[in-house]
Amino acid sequence: PRAAEPRKVPVESVTAVCPGTKGAKVGVYLPGKLSHEEIEDAAPYVANGPGALEAGYTTRVADGKGRGLAGVRCTEPAAATWLVGPGPANADVRLHLTNAAKAPALVDVQVHAAEGLVSGDRGIGLDIAPGEHREIDLKTLAPSATVMAVGVTTVFGRVAVAARTTLDGGGVDWLPSAGSPATRVVVPGIPGGGGRRELLVAAPGSGDAVVRVKAVSEDASYAMKGRESLDVPAGGVVALDVTTGVGGSAAALVLTSSAPIVAGLVITGTGQRSDVAFTAGTSSLSLGSAVARNGAGAELVLTALGGPGKVQVQVVPGEGAAGRPLDVDVPAERTKSVPLKAKGDFAVVVTPVSGEVYGGRVVEERLKSGVLITAQPLAPARMWTLLPPLTDTARVVAPR
């Protein structure tokens, strides 16, 4: 028998890993319930549980070099992880690799910059012992990169990946995982308001990419004047200022490419001292999504592509019963901001109802010195996964 479409099957267990930040309060969400655990030292935080488990934390620093809101989602070990953002020439970028398993692991780290693959063999064949956490200053792999795409491939074993970026000019946040290289990439969760918006696109394969760029804002869907397309050389990364292109509106960007690409976006806040946040290409909300750690000033930025879309949004507080799910309609080819109102820390759960909807979660805090901001794209919930179609073939049983 042959399955024509991927099969949607439930996830039975989850291992989620957050890089350690001493004193950070991790939100741990399971259906209908939110709990918190404090990280006592700088060791990674590891959560094991049933399907749908979600975890993450946000830190707040109001002054000093590390000033800013910085949010991180606890990630699962993956065969490959992509991160897109400012390069080590303009920022302090720390890559965190954690082997939470009881078996050794081997990973390859490759850094792409504007001029192509620049890390050489320095990140190839890194041994990560069972239980080991390794922090890598990416200046040691690519000191001259102004923009970058980092590919982390697990050769064997199970390794979770995260990266913290502190801009030389101020601002800090964690880079969200970007989707695997594809010829169609949607970068959602771009908040409205002032500040710079910079798109970063990498073509990590062997072919040059011609990329068409479309903005989907609150009021329109359009190719940005003068920014309708960009050329990305094979192995390289290209930056495109889209600040005037989105015009201060909440938005998403839809990229269609002649070759597989990965993409992310740098969000710079306003004020005398600016903070920074990041979003990245991600899949639609067809499997649902959840963000375990939110607070005052949080909102969802949702975009419907093709036809109209509808999702249910539910707030789960740290204390008390979960809120009643709210139906949210998103007009076709438009973006909609949805403020999230709850006291204290809370989780937010987004469940698909209809249409092709993408989203991001943004948290802003307005200070006299400038806006603090953090963002993350809405990653697929860990409640379901898609298994690829199965095809009868003699190759699986035929000897070599």
Side-chain angles (χ1 to χ4, degrees):
R2 178 174 179 174
E5 299 291 337
R7 289 188 299 125
K8 183 178 176 181
V9 297
V11 173
E12 295 183 356
S13 63
V14 173
T15 296
V17 182
C18 269
T21 297
K22 187 176 181 180
K25 188 167 68 170
V26 181
V28 181
Y29 166 79
L30 285 169
K33 181 181 178 181
L34 177 66
S35 60
H36 294 92
E37 295 189 33
E38 186 170 319
I39 299 178
E40 297 181 355
D41 52 32
Y45 174 84
V46 181
N48 294 291
L53 181 147
E54 192 69 43
Y57 64 80
T58 300
T59 57
R60 177 187 182 275
V61 177
D63 205 358
K65 184 179 179 181
R67 177 187 180 277
L69 283 176
V72 63
R73 177 182 187 248
C74 298
T75 59
E76 290 181 277
T81 301
W82 285 96
L83 304 163
V84 183
N90 294 329
D92 179 20
V93 187
R94 302 295 173 118
L95 184 68
H96 294 257
L97 305 175
T98 302
N99 179 3
K102 297 180 180 180
L106 183 73
V107 300
D108 293 339
V109 178
Q110 294 184 303
V111 182
H112 298 259
E115 59 270 36
L117 182 62
V118 294
S119 53
D121 295 333
R122 287 167 288 182
I124 303 300
L126 302 180
D127 292 302
I128 313 294
E132 181 185 359
H133 164 254
R134 183 177 297 191
E135 179 179 323
I136 300 174
D137 182 352
L138 288 185
K139 278 188 172 67
T140 62
L141 299 184
S144 63
T146 57
V147 292
M148 66 170 196
V150 181
V152 182
T153 303
T154 302
V155 181
F156 61 79
R158 305 184 75 236
V159 174
V161 180
R164 180 180 171 92
T165 298
T166 305
L167 294 186
D168 293 344
V172 60
D173 214 338
W174 295 86
L175 294 176
S177 297
S180 300
T183 54
R184 180 178 182 264
V185 174
V186 179
V187 181
I190 305 171
R196 180 181 172 89
R197 307 288 187 260
E198 185 178 45
L199 174 67
L200 304 178
V201 183
S206 57
D208 297 342
V210 178
V211 184
R212 297 194 304 274
V213 183
K214 181 179 77 170
V216 182
S217 72
E218 295 167 294
D219 301 317
S221 173
Y222 54 93
M224 296 176 290
K225 186 176 181 180
R227 300 170 179 82
E228 297 91 345
S229 68
L230 68 159
D231 297 324
V232 185
V237 184
V238 170
L240 179 68
D241 187 340
V242 297
T243 308
T244 57
V246 297
S249 171
L253 297 178
V254 181
L255 314 179
T256 307
S257 175
S258 61
I261 56 172
V262 292
L265 188 125
V266 183
I267 302 160
T268 304
T270 57
Q272 184 179 2
R273 300 189 63 188
S274 59
D275 194 12
V276 71
F278 307 102
T279 184
T282 192
S283 55
S284 74
L285 293 168
S286 61
L287 298 179
S289 187
V291 180
R293 184 71 193 277
N294 306 275
E299 68 173 6
L300 296 178
V301 180
L302 303 174
T303 300
L305 299 182
K310 177 183 282 189
V311 298
Q312 282 192 337
V313 176
Q314 184 181 38
V315 168
V316 181
E319 297 182 2
R324 184 177 179 181
L326 171 68
D327 286 335
V328 177
D329 292 295
V330 186
E333 294 293 318
R334 296 292 184 270
T335 294
K336 184 174 185 176
S337 296
V338 182
L340 300 173
K341 298 180 180 179
K343 293 182 179 180
D345 296 329
F346 61 93
V348 60
V349 183
V350 183
T351 304
V353 177
S354 62
E356 183 185 358
V357 182
Y358 297 77
R361 190 288 325 261
V362 180
V363 181
E364 290 189 4
E365 181 182 348
R366 299 187 178 277
L367 303 180
K368 290 182 179 180
S369 56
V371 174
L372 302 181
I373 186 169
T374 185
Q376 69 180 64
L378 295 179
R382 295 166 174 140
M383 184 175 292
W384 303 96
T385 189
L386 296 177
L387 294 182
L390 300 177
T391 304
D392 281 340
T393 172
R395 287 185 301 172
V396 297
V397 293
R400 293 190 174 185

